[in-house]
Amino acid sequence: MKVSAQAPANIAFVKYWGKYNDALTLPSNSSISMNLAELHTITTIEFSEKYRDDIVEIEFFGQRLKVVTDQKKVRVTQQIDRLRKKAKVTKRARVMLINNFPAESGIGSSASAFAALTVASCAALDLHVDRKELSILTRLGGSGSATRSILDGFVEWKKGTLSKDSYATQLAPASHWDIHDVILVVSSKSKKSSSLEGHKLAKTSPYYKARLAELPRRLVLVRQAIRDKSLSKLGIELEKDALSLHFIAMTSTPPIWYLESSTIEVIKEIYTLRNQGIEAYFTMDAGPNIHIICVAKDSSTIKAYFARKPYIETIFVSGSGKGASIIEKHLF
Ligand code: PMV
């Protein structure tokens, strides 16, 4: 059977950084994010006797990869293998992943890719699993943040103590709060250090324990901010959280710098905008690109403000959106 699924990227307000179990992708802390309606991966997968080996094809932001590196292929086929084993199927698959935004630059491409891959594969293999199980199966694929792309809207991924307790739950549907993420792409080049590497190194930072100690309080405040639709409360926490993640990365051994000088330029501009009365708050994932969280009515002003800056490559604007779902459109 051939199935296509679409899954959103998500932006974390409280970020997942570091794991207590690498093999099972169990995170050192719970995390909270918003799914992005406009940024997605569509994945089509077909299991058939006609394929002698797995075929993996990938297109990022309009560009088909001429060669899919072994590293990328292995990550995809390992997840397919896991699901094939569960379904007791041995047929090989052809899989195509198409992203409508740049990948590997801190915009959540592995989240949308692994969520779409897992949902499409489960359906094609006739595995009947509920959302909780889907989120666990997605997590096992190695991109932990993908587990949050399964559900709609505002989502929390609980750390859990065992694999069966570490899954995503919805905090509020997408319609709950009309906030936007204005994504400023200052570099669409693939980052030099992957988030996989960053998670592994987090423990080497002398400040990592301090980050983990401040997170329970932050999680409470962010849940409250979402419930009360308070952008100012959310904004303060999401900025602190992003800076804390990058500080851990920079003080890991060896250090990782995801930020570029243009990232810092943008942060300073955001402070200026705030002084002018526009409520805008920044966050960055493991990459140099900046996500500006604002109320929906301000996103066009913010986009226009940054569109004229020489260091901006592209700008995306997205509200909150639904989680992963099966779609009709097949890619091959
Ligand atoms: O899911 P991964 O392994 O790609 O790691 C994602 C880590 C961050 O994007 C930096 C934070 C997060 O919670 O999304």
Side-chain angles (χ1 to χ4, degrees):
M1 199 176 157
K2 192 193 291 187
V3 175
S4 294
Q6 178 170 326
N10 65 69
I11 180 64
F13 298 154
V14 180
K15 297 181 194 290
Y16 142 58
W17 201 239
K19 301 176 230 189
Y20 67 91
N21 184 321
D22 273 330
L24 296 174
T25 319
L26 290 168
S28 301
N29 62 277
S30 299
S31 54
I32 296 180
S33 61
M34 170 176 102
N35 279 326
L36 299 173
E38 308 302 328
L39 279 74
H40 61 248
T41 302
I42 295 180
T43 292
T44 297
I45 190 158
E46 180 183 38
F47 292 88
S48 165
E49 309 284 4
K50 70 185 177 206
Y51 303 123
R52 300 180 60 189
D53 196 3
D54 289 327
I55 304 165
V56 179
E57 293 158 281
I58 300 180
E59 184 181 305
F60 290 144
F61 201 31
Q63 277 192 325
R64 179 70 56 93
L65 299 189
K66 287 198 189 81
V67 181
V68 175
T69 57
D70 285 348
Q71 201 192 6
K72 282 196 182 68
K73 188 172 172 187
V74 165
R75 281 193 74 189
V76 171
T77 52
Q78 275 177 348
Q79 178 67 342
I80 301 173
D81 276 341
R82 195 171 283 115
L83 301 169
R84 248 192 302 242
K85 197 168 159 201
K86 192 172 167 65
K88 300 189 177 60
V89 167
T90 52
K91 281 179 227 160
R92 301 288 100 190
R94 176 177 174 200
V95 57
M96 186 180 283
L97 290 91
I98 297 196
N99 254 32
N100 72 346
F101 60 101
E104 296 167 344
S105 49
I107 321 183
S109 58
S110 60
S112 55
F114 277 88
L117 175 67
T118 308
V119 169
S121 303
C122 284
L125 290 165
D126 224 10
L127 280 171
H128 298 281
V129 285
D130 60 14
R131 291 249 155 189
K132 174 178 160 187
E133 174 93 25
L134 258 180
S135 117
I136 293 173
L137 290 171
T138 303
R139 192 200 82 225
L140 291 169
S143 168
S145 55
T147 197
R148 300 186 308 244
S149 288
I150 296 294
L151 286 101
D152 293 355
F154 299 85
V155 177
E156 174 160 0
W157 169 22
K158 296 268 186 210
K159 171 186 167 189
T161 44
L162 294 167
S163 184
K164 66 176 177 48
D165 312 319
S166 184
Y167 56 90
T169 54
Q170 187 187 66
L171 291 174
S175 57
H176 167 71
W177 194 10
D178 204 6
I179 53 173
H180 276 178
D181 181 2
V182 180
I183 302 157
L184 306 182
V185 180
V186 294
S187 173
S188 53
K189 287 199 206 103
S190 290
K191 56 196 178 197
K192 289 186 202 93
S193 304
S194 66
S195 44
L196 277 178
E197 225 175 311
H199 290 298
K200 282 206 179 100
L201 293 179
K203 290 184 197 79
T204 66
S205 164
Y207 307 102
Y208 187 53
K209 280 203 181 108
R211 167 171 168 77
L212 293 182
E214 69 184 8
L215 287 183
R217 183 173 150 71
R218 179 162 305 136
L219 286 158
V220 171
L221 293 172
V222 168
R223 280 185 215 115
Q224 281 170 358
I226 292 172
R227 185 196 63 203
D228 302 343
K229 299 189 234 182
S230 168
L231 183 61
S232 51
K233 281 192 191 138
L234 175 69
I236 288 167
E237 293 307 316
L238 72 86
E239 288 191 349
K240 279 189 195 159
D241 196 66
L243 293 175
S244 144
L245 182 153
H246 284 275
F247 187 61
I248 298 302
M250 289 171 202
T251 54
S252 292
T253 308
I256 306 181
W257 276 78
Y258 291 111
L259 307 182
E260 298 285 344
S261 50
S262 44
T263 317
I264 311 295
E265 286 290 314
V266 170
I267 291 175
K268 288 183 182 163
E269 295 281 0
I270 292 171
Y271 291 142
T272 307
L273 278 176
R274 279 226 290 276
N275 286 335
Q276 291 169 2
I278 296 178
E279 254 211 295
Y281 297 93
F282 64 83
T283 181
M284 296 80 64
D285 275 347
N289 300 313
I290 304 98
H291 297 250
I292 304 180
I293 308 298
C294 60
V295 288
K297 70 169 180 43
D298 285 340
S299 61
S300 48
T301 312
I302 295 169
K303 183 178 174 187
Y305 181 88
F306 283 103
R308 41 177 204 262
K309 303 284 177 193
Y311 47 76
I312 301 291
E313 280 184 23
T314 325
I315 303 181
F316 297 96
V317 178
S318 180
S320 175
K322 64 190 189 85
S325 58
I326 304 289
I327 56 167
E328 293 299 322
K329 192 174 125 195
H330 295 315
L331 302 171
F332 58 85

